[in-house]
């Protein structure tokens, strides 16, 4: 069976768009989308490349999940975001997942600044960060809890993952 060129990319784009939509609308990235997408990526890779495709899938899935484990453990992103980057890796491989991770981080930083500005929390957040850095240096590099309430601003990071992945896809297409 011959699979048309670009099929993997089309399914990845559809998956990213659906997950981005649900993250923006409901602040959820659904497993009912992610798990079938990862399975589809495995099937496509096996059909296209056999055992080498399965290995690409495993490495990509692991890299995508692994890159977001620390931010997830620190409470910076949700489990859906971790799984979504894993699915990106399962479609395109570990190197692509790493590049998407870098672009996602850059785009995510801009989105975070935008959401903080929109909620009128940008300046207070910068002041708290400056105070924490000052305390960190004056305390001999010990970490302190500033005792302030957590004013976290939720950012739909699925948007950053989608845009970061699109940048990588565009780079592949143009090169």
């Amino acid at each position: 069976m011959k699979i048309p060129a670009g099929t993997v990319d089309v399914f990845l784009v559809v998956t990213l768009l659906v997950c981005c939509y649900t993250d923006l609308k409901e602040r959820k990235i659904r497993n009912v989308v992610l798990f079938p997408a990862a399975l589809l990526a495995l099937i496509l890779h096996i059909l296209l490349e056999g055992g080498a495709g399965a290995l690409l899938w495993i490495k990509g899935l692991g890299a995508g999940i692994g890159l977001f484990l620390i931010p997830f453990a620190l409470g910076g992103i949700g489990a859906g975001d971790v799984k979504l980057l894993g699915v990106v890796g399962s479609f395109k491989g570990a190197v692509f997942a790493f590049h998407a991770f870098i672009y996602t981080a850059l785009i995510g930083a801009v989105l975070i600044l935008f959401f903080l500005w929109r909620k009128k929390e940008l300046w207070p957040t910068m002041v708290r960060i400056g105070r924490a850095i000052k305390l960190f240096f004056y305390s001999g590099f010990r970490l302190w809890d500033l005792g302030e309430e957590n004013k976290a601003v939720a950012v739909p990071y699925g948007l950053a993952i989608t845009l970061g992945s699109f940048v990588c896809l565009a780079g592949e297409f143009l090169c």
Side-chain angles (χ1 to χ4, degrees):
M1 167 160 71
K2 180 75 173 148
I3 297 174
T7 302
V8 171
D9 292 347
V10 169
F11 282 115
L12 173 59
V13 167
V14 169
T15 301
L16 286 167
L17 290 174
V18 169
C19 290
C20 183
Y21 176 79
T22 60
D23 198 22
L24 288 170
K25 185 123 175 116
E26 305 167 12
R27 302 293 185 165
K28 289 248 182 227
I29 297 175
R30 304 220 170 264
N31 290 337
V32 71
V33 175
L34 294 173
F35 292 149
L39 182 60
L40 176 63
L42 176 61
I43 292 167
L44 287 172
H45 283 302
I46 289 173
L47 290 174
L48 288 169
E49 304 157 26
L55 186 59
L56 176 97
W57 181 85
I58 290 170
K59 288 179 181 179
L61 183 68
I65 290 171
L67 288 165
F68 268 167
L69 278 183
I70 292 174
F72 172 72
L74 295 174
I77 60 171
D81 301 318
V82 176
K83 291 178 276 188
L84 180 57
L85 190 61
V87 167
V88 169
S90 75
F91 274 104
K92 297 296 285 182
V95 173
F96 186 95
F98 178 73
H99 291 148
F101 169 75
I102 297 297
Y103 286 111
T104 294
L106 295 171
I107 292 167
V110 171
L111 287 174
I112 289 166
L113 290 174
F114 172 75
F115 276 84
L116 285 170
W117 171 76
R118 197 166 143 217
K119 297 278 188 180
K120 298 186 181 353
E121 284 294 323
L122 182 59
W123 182 249
T125 299
M126 293 301 181
V127 169
R128 283 192 300 274
I129 290 171
R131 194 176 308 138
I133 291 171
K134 183 177 169 183
L135 267 172
F136 180 68
F137 283 109
Y138 285 143
S139 69
F141 304 105
R142 282 181 266 152
L143 296 176
W144 294 85
D145 179 8
L146 297 179
E148 295 184 30
E149 68 181 62
N150 185 5
K151 294 184 178 183
V153 175
V155 175
Y157 216 66
L159 175 60
I161 296 167
T162 299
L163 293 175
S165 298
F166 283 178
V167 167
C168 291
L169 284 169
E172 277 187 346
F173 180 73
L174 295 173
C175 296

